[in-house]
Amino acid sequence: MRVGVSVVIPVFNEQEGLTQLFERLYPALDALGRSYEIVFVDDGSADGSVALLREQYQRRPDVTRVVVLARNAGQHRAILAAFAYARGDYVITLDADLQNPPEEIAKLVAAMDAGADYVGTVRVRRQDVLWRKAASRLMNRLREGTTSIRISDQGCMLRGYDRSVIDAVNRCTEVSTYVPALAYTFARHPVEIEVAHAERTVGQSKYSLLRLIRLNFDLMTGFSVAPLQFFSMSGIVIAFLSLVFVAYLAIRRLVMGPEAEGVFTLFGIAFFLIGMALLGLGVVGEYVGRIYEQVRQRPRYTVAAVLGGDAEPVQLPERRRTAREAQE
Ligand code: UDP
Ligand code: MG
């Protein structure tokens, strides 16, 4: 069965806000005037979230579906899990904490009706703490410089994707990823619109500093090898400069005799280079770690239960063969 719009909502320990979310979300979607489903995915919550979702399913079984994951897999993997079950021609992701107003969904739907297959959003007057805004700005700049992914506001998860994009994302098997960026690589007509943003009024952000750093590493290493190239390039430059320096020292030794001054300058340079080398090693480690995760081929998430609709993921349409495959 196909539906017009699927709304995908990851939920991780959000019991304080869920009732409020239901109260605003359902009327907003009823007002759309087209068929819809809401796919909640519980990302291993330890509070009363699952119970609340089950209750809500009892109340509106016609349009509610709940995918319960066995363990916390992280927001992006949870969303991927829900994508596998979503049946909508359009799929919209939304956070459970009401920071993205559900009333804005209509705008995304309108943009997709107008022909967009990827609707990104920019938060006007983003309501987050200062350091998060500054960090986002820095990461945006970095990503723009190193990848071809054009996302003005990477942190806003209220986004819309066409079925064709979702099918493509569902074929991907990478273990760690960043859903908006992955989807962007399959979009043919991406657009961005402005949406409102509210402060988190209940519960707390589920992202610690460490988790945010990990997420941004996913974004950098998952879509670009620029960090590696940076280190090979600096390696070449430093090696060349050292060569010149050694030649200079050799000549100096012959002409002016031995010298033992400038020891601390030497230390300074050595420490800097050791620091660079360690950083480079760390970057290589990030890639190797991801390759390691990938080759183990463990499932990205485990589904414990599905309420509503089929218990099996949506069947992917036959993939169109590439020109090369068709020839063979
Ligand atoms: N979330 C999740 N799994 C996680 C962390 C977060 O499903 O491991 C969900 C969370 O319940 C919320 C959304 O992802 O619906 C965004 O999380 P949060 O609001 O804490 O992030 P922030 O707005 O601070 O970036
Ligand atoms: Mg939030």
Side-chain angles (χ1 to χ4, degrees):
M1 191 193 77
R2 266 328 224 304
V3 294
V5 180
S6 294
V7 178
V8 162
I9 306 183
V11 176
F12 180 50
N13 295 339
E14 301 280 3
Q15 63 176 6
E16 299 95 337
L18 279 181
T19 318
Q20 233 187 71
L21 173 70
F22 300 150
E23 275 166 15
R24 280 175 60 187
L25 180 64
Y26 285 78
L29 291 174
D30 288 328
L32 279 183
R34 61 180 84 190
S35 62
Y36 71 88
E37 64 174 6
I38 304 171
V39 186
F40 292 101
V41 47
D42 177 76
D43 190 14
S45 298
D47 65 354
S49 297
V50 182
L52 286 172
L53 292 175
R54 278 180 194 279
E55 260 172 47
Q56 183 60 24
Y57 172 66
Q58 304 295 340
R59 231 172 279 140
R60 291 293 299 272
D62 51 330
V63 290
T64 308
R65 302 173 70 197
V66 183
V67 177
V68 183
L69 301 188
R71 303 193 42 158
N72 180 250
Q75 181 184 4
H76 290 262
R77 286 185 211 177
I79 290 174
L80 289 178
F83 278 179
Y85 288 88
R87 300 170 294 196
D89 293 326
Y90 300 161
V91 176
I92 287 171
T93 57
L94 185 74
D95 283 353
D97 58 4
L98 282 175
Q99 283 196 274
N100 315 126
E103 293 76 20
E104 300 282 60
I105 290 174
K107 276 198 210 167
L108 278 82
V109 171
M112 289 202 274
D113 280 343
D117 60 356
Y118 172 103
V119 187
T121 49
V122 181
R123 293 168 282 192
V124 282
R125 280 189 303 281
R126 176 172 174 191
Q127 303 288 328
D128 269 323
V129 282
L130 211 63
W131 68 267
R132 293 243 350 219
K133 288 196 239 186
S136 293
R137 258 202 304 278
L138 179 73
M139 283 312 300
N140 277 342
R141 192 107 11 102
L142 217 57
R143 194 200 54 255
E144 299 271 309
T146 53
T147 68
S148 55
I149 294 164
R150 297 284 164 265
I151 299 177
S152 315
D153 187 358
Q154 66 178 38
C156 188
M157 290 300 290
L158 171 60
R159 282 163 192 280
Y161 311 100
D162 185 69
R163 169 60 29 196
S164 56
V165 173
I166 293 292
D167 284 343
V169 168
N170 282 344
R171 285 208 177 82
C172 296
T173 54
E174 51 226 84
V175 173
S176 313
T177 196
Y178 192 81
V179 172
L182 182 63
Y184 185 91
T185 59
F186 300 115
R188 290 197 295 166
H189 305 291
V191 297
E192 282 191 337
I193 61 172
E194 289 194 336
V195 292
H197 190 237
E199 233 170 294
R200 202 187 230 282
T201 50
V202 288
Q204 279 183 348
S205 172
K206 305 298 179 290
Y207 279 96
S208 61
L209 180 60
L210 192 68
R211 270 189 163 213
L212 276 178
I213 291 174
R214 295 227 56 80
L215 187 68
N216 278 297
F217 264 118
D218 285 343
L219 189 52
M220 287 301 295
T221 59
F223 298 91
S224 158
V225 290
L228 291 176
Q229 282 159 352
F230 169 76
F231 281 101
S232 33
M233 285 304 155
S234 8
I236 291 172
V237 172
I238 291 171
F240 178 74
L241 291 180
S242 314
L243 202 68
V244 174
F245 191 51
V246 167
Y248 163 75
L249 285 181
I251 295 167
R252 195 190 140 101
R253 175 73 178 73
L254 291 176
V255 179
M256 305 176 64
E259 53 111 1
E261 274 158 56
V263 177
F264 289 105
T265 317
L266 192 61
F267 267 118
I269 295 172
F271 283 148
F272 171 72
L273 291 182
I274 292 170
M276 287 285 281
L278 285 179
L279 183 60
L281 204 60
V283 170
V284 174
E286 284 293 329
Y287 283 93
V288 174
R290 262 151 245 267
I291 296 168
Y292 174 57
E293 274 191 340
Q294 200 68 45
V295 293
R296 279 189 307 199
Q297 295 202 325
R298 298 203 183 142
R300 294 184 282 196
Y301 48 80
T302 329
V303 175
V306 181
L307 305 181
D310 293 333
E312 293 302 313
V314 175
Q315 207 83 53
L316 281 172
E318 183 115 357
R319 192 168 65 88
R320 255 183 296 154
R321 291 193 301 169
T322 60
R324 159 96 64 69
E325 284 168 342
Q327 266 176 14
E328 283 165 5

